[in-house]
Amino acid sequence: MSMFDYDARPVTPLPVLVGTTASRGAYAIRDFLSRNGYPFEWVDASQPEAVRAVLGVAEVEPSALPLCILPDGSRLASATVEQVAAGLGMIAAPSRSEYDLAIVGAGPAGLGAAVNAASEGLRTVVVEAVAPGGQAGTTSMIENLLGFPNGISGSELATRAVVQARRFGAELLLARPLVGVSADGPGYVAGLSDGTLVRGRAVLFASGVEWRRLDVPGIDNLLGAGVYYGAGPSEALACTGSQVVVVGGGNSAGQAVVRFSRYAQQVTLLVRGRDLGASMSQYLIDQLSGIPNVEVRVRTQVVGLEADDRLRTVIVRSGDSTEPARLPADALFICIGGTPRTDGAAGIALAANTAGYLLTGRDGAREPGSNWPLPREPLPLETNRPGVFAAGDVRCGSVKRCSAAIGEGSMAVALIHRRLAEVGGD
Amino acid sequence: MSLEFAELASDEQIAAAAAALEYNGIRSLLAATGADARRLVGSLLTGGAEVYNNTSQTLQAIGVADDIERSGRYQPLRLRLYRMDREMQRREMRSLAASPDYVVGSVHALTEGGSLLIASASGSQLGPLVSGAGHVILVIGAQKIVPDVAAGMRRIYEYCYPLEDARAQGAYGVPSGVNNILIINKVLAPDRVTAIIVKERLGF
């Protein structure tokens, strides 16, 4: 047995991803693998010796990048997330023709519901577009979750929740977004991007939110090349010694700053509002104030970016100043607000507020055109479609906190039992 | 390097060591080949359990490392630890690595009197072996059987260390070291530790 065992490196081959740091496609795969907790090796294609070590030649044809070498030695040229996911065996088919509950989204609300539903005997499936954990899964350390006095990282919380849900028999279908839902008798059929159909007697939307896009000229061309939406956990190590800018005033932005401050030379947090108190937990505000390489700039917005093959400078305007300032930046992480993820719900016309958040309970039934069909009122967390529920950040009026989302997911299961009893078979 | 420690033990020595292990509270199983040992390990591990496979040429040679890290039957802790953020998740890493449901590894020497000797540069693997892990499974090539603890110590310093140092230099670019030595003479918890003696030369 080895005497040298302190890096915990897997002893079997890892997938190797070869690409450039300015590649959007390579970032998408890094982000996907990182968020799914799948260890991999990253090789920068601009480093000839590193490339030679894995491929035997010093250069790779640019059109073949990103190139993924799977653990069995096979290679995927111009690799996509979908190809890598399939190559690593991450794509599973549903084992049943019908489930009692189909949950859309594997964030805290979805996983909270999955654990409770499966533990109570409901045949449960969770469909997830990217990776378990949702936005919370990219959080470096959640310190206000009950029962974790020293905090727990978002990725570890997601890992444990997935293990727990699976132990009770819940299935998780990963790496395929929901593309549509349609009525199917008293239940529903959910269609996934690869054509997989999932039947559920009840559906829970726990699909969360995605980051709001920053409206700055040229930003889309820099995605993955220095500009990232979310906390970008795959990029933390790459930020060693660099200048990092984070945009946002919520807990996700604050936690991203804490993480990057451990690696970066300087982290600047840009906040549009007058102070952080309105949107960030006090414990995070206190932490930020004690980190020497963190600067918080309030009343500040990004107005421009400068780049060559990747981001170099963030141009900001602060307060009442008319003169923009230039911040040297190797990476910009955007953690602002959120847009509810309800794309797949269009087919069943769920009632939503003007921002797109799903209405539940009496609010949904009262909405003009909601067409609530039953003599009873909708249950709390039930949308305007009987048997379709919503929980967590995607729901109008939800509290945007991890513990609240877990609670809503758990609460939804109790209500779903009532719905299933109504249609028989529960 | 003393090649006496590369010689397979005789059937009589193997039987003596196996009986002594049992006497010392360590369940002992015999395997004719590495493939048999691999099947035995699979039969001892519980599906879905958190399993930590120690860095081990033996486990790699017989396919057990693949079974743990790649089969999907278990929660392989090495993979989980490797992807953790060393700055933000050090505490989680420490507690995960310290208390797996199962640790699977090998030893550097097994005495005919039923003592197990394990050396470590970092010491990280010793705590779970002694008490942190719920269960311990050790796969031991029969060339590791020595007459007594003194011979076992010689095996570590004169035979294992040079080979391990070369491996560490190649794999990590740093030297190894006999910085910690664990000697297990007796195990009190019934069925916690299982030793599988393989009648083949495995690892070093």
Side-chain angles (χ1 to χ4, degrees):
Chain A
M1 188 164 79
S2 169
M3 300 177 193
F4 196 101
D5 204 26
Y6 47 63
D7 72 345
R9 182 186 178 84
V11 295
T12 53
L14 296 175
V16 179
L17 183 63
V18 184
T20 65
T21 56
S23 163
R24 185 173 181 173
Y27 170 68
I29 298 171
R30 286 203 308 272
D31 184 57
F32 172 79
L33 291 174
S34 175
R35 290 175 62 183
N36 275 285
Y38 206 112
F40 64 99
E41 289 183 31
W42 164 251
V43 173
D44 185 341
S46 68
Q47 306 291 321
E49 286 313 306
V51 172
R52 191 191 302 277
V54 295
L55 294 176
V57 293
E59 288 186 32
V60 192
E61 180 65 33
S63 63
L65 298 175
L67 178 73
C68 185
I69 308 168
L70 299 173
D72 66 3
S74 58
R75 297 180 180 184
L76 299 171
S78 306
T80 63
V81 167
E82 291 75 14
Q83 290 170 336
V84 172
L88 293 174
M90 298 170 73
I91 307 295
S95 70
R96 298 175 185 273
S97 58
E98 184 187 65
Y99 295 84
D100 295 316
L101 175 60
I103 300 169
V104 182
L111 291 173
V115 167
N116 280 276
S119 68
E120 292 169 16
L122 296 185
R123 297 170 301 165
T124 304
V125 63
V126 185
V127 299
E128 165 57 48
V130 185
Q135 283 194 352
T138 65
T139 297
S140 56
M141 191 58 67
I142 305 166
E143 300 201 35
N144 56 358
L145 193 60
L146 185 70
F148 297 92
N150 296 297
I152 182 167
S153 60
S155 61
E156 186 61 13
L157 179 67
T159 299
R160 293 186 192 189
V162 167
V163 170
Q164 195 174 10
R166 284 185 168 144
R167 189 164 64 82
F168 286 123
E171 289 179 37
L172 270 81
L173 306 180
L174 298 172
R176 281 156 292 178
L178 177 76
V179 293
V181 178
S182 56
D184 179 45
Y188 297 88
V189 178
L192 308 186
S193 61
D194 66 345
T196 300
L197 296 177
V198 179
R199 285 186 168 74
R201 297 171 64 222
V203 175
L204 173 66
F205 271 87
S207 41
V209 294
E210 53 190 304
W211 301 109
R212 198 185 307 151
R213 303 280 124 173
L214 197 62
D215 186 17
V216 175
I219 194 167
D220 286 347
N221 295 331
L222 292 170
L223 285 179
V227 173
Y228 311 94
Y229 282 97
S234 66
E235 304 309 296
L237 203 56
C239 288
T240 302
S242 62
Q243 304 282 332
V244 170
V245 176
V246 178
V247 181
N251 279 5
S252 295
Q255 282 152 345
V257 171
V258 172
R259 182 203 296 264
F260 292 126
S261 71
R262 304 289 184 96
Y263 296 92
Q265 182 183 29
Q266 174 73 27
V267 183
T268 306
L269 176 63
L270 307 179
V271 184
R272 180 188 292 211
R274 290 182 174 278
D275 61 60
L276 287 172
S279 51
M280 191 179 289
S281 293
Q282 188 61 43
Y283 81 87
L284 269 173
I285 298 173
D286 294 342
Q287 270 188 34
L288 295 185
S289 66
I291 303 174
N293 62 334
V294 168
E295 179 191 7
V296 179
R297 293 191 180 198
V298 297
R299 297 181 67 203
T300 302
Q301 296 183 57
V302 178
V303 295
L305 303 172
E306 291 176 357
D308 41 37
D309 65 332
R310 56 175 296 120
L311 178 73
R312 299 297 175 194
T313 306
V314 175
I315 304 170
V316 301
R317 181 170 286 133
S318 299
D320 301 322
S321 167
T322 54
E323 281 301 307
R326 299 171 76 256
L327 298 177
D330 301 295
L332 170 67
F333 294 91
I334 302 159
C335 307
I336 49 171
T339 304
R341 303 169 77 164
T342 58
D343 293 348
I348 49 173
L350 298 182
N353 71 359
T354 53
Y357 290 93
L358 298 180
L359 297 170
T360 52
R362 292 176 182 173
D363 292 345
R366 285 183 189 141
E367 187 73 4
S370 72
N371 297 321
W372 173 252
L374 300 181
R376 67 165 173 83
E377 288 193 328
L379 298 165
L381 306 187
E382 192 172 27
T383 67
N384 58 312
R385 297 298 300 252
V388 179
F389 295 76
D393 287 1
V394 75
R395 192 180 70 80
C396 178
S398 66
V399 178
K400 303 294 186 282
R401 289 287 183 269
C402 182
S403 52
I406 296 169
E408 282 196 14
S410 310
M411 173 183 167
V413 173
L415 301 167
I416 286 163
H417 274 299
R418 286 162 64 178
R419 165 63 184 172
L420 293 179
E422 181 179 61
V423 294
D426 184 45
Chain B
M1 186 187 304
S2 176
L3 292 180
E4 69 177 284
F5 296 118
E7 297 288 325
L8 282 182
S10 67
D11 285 348
E12 291 72 25
Q13 289 171 306
I14 292 172
L21 284 169
E22 291 282 348
Y23 181 79
N24 291 340
I26 298 164
R27 179 163 53 162
S28 68
L29 303 172
L30 294 181
T33 65
D36 291 340
R38 181 182 188 176
R39 280 191 289 275
L40 279 173
V41 172
S43 72
L44 293 170
L45 293 172
T46 304
E50 291 183 343
V51 183
Y52 191 94
N53 51 308
N54 283 331
T55 309
S56 161
Q57 303 276 318
T58 301
L59 299 187
Q60 280 180 265
I62 65 175
V64 167
D66 269 307
D67 292 345
I68 293 171
E69 292 188 3
R70 299 289 165 198
S71 71
R73 292 197 290 271
Y74 319 106
Q75 295 182 61
L77 291 187
R78 292 186 83 91
L79 270 63
R80 195 156 148 194
L81 287 161
Y82 184 63
R83 55 143 160 117
M84 285 183 152
D85 184 325
R86 276 147 184 75
E87 288 294 324
M88 298 301 298
Q89 295 180 272
R90 195 171 289 277
R91 191 172 194 286
E92 287 170 356
M93 292 178 71
R94 207 172 63 239
S95 55
L96 258 186
S99 56
D101 294 325
Y102 289 86
V103 63
V104 185
S106 188
V107 303
H108 293 111
L110 160 62
T111 72
E112 289 176 34
S115 292
L116 299 163
L117 280 72
I118 302 152
S120 173
S122 68
S124 64
Q125 54 200 314
L126 302 185
L129 292 173
V130 176
S131 67
H135 297 275
V136 177
I137 300 171
L138 302 167
V139 183
I140 305 166
Q143 86 279 14
K144 296 184 179 181
I145 296 176
V146 294
D148 52 31
V149 169
M153 298 294 271
R154 271 206 311 120
R155 187 173 197 280
I156 287 173
Y157 281 98
E158 296 175 15
Y159 181 75
C160 301
Y161 172 68
L163 291 171
E164 171 61 13
D165 190 52
R167 192 197 71 82
Q169 295 275 13
Y172 314 109
V174 295
S176 189
V178 184
N179 300 334
N180 308 268
I181 297 177
L182 169 67
I183 302 176
I184 301 175
N185 289 325
K186 202 171 192 66
V187 172
L188 298 180
D191 293 332
R192 179 174 174 271
V193 181
T194 300
I196 301 172
I197 303 174
V198 190
K199 295 182 178 179
E200 283 182 354
R201 186 179 299 122
L202 293 172
F204 53 81

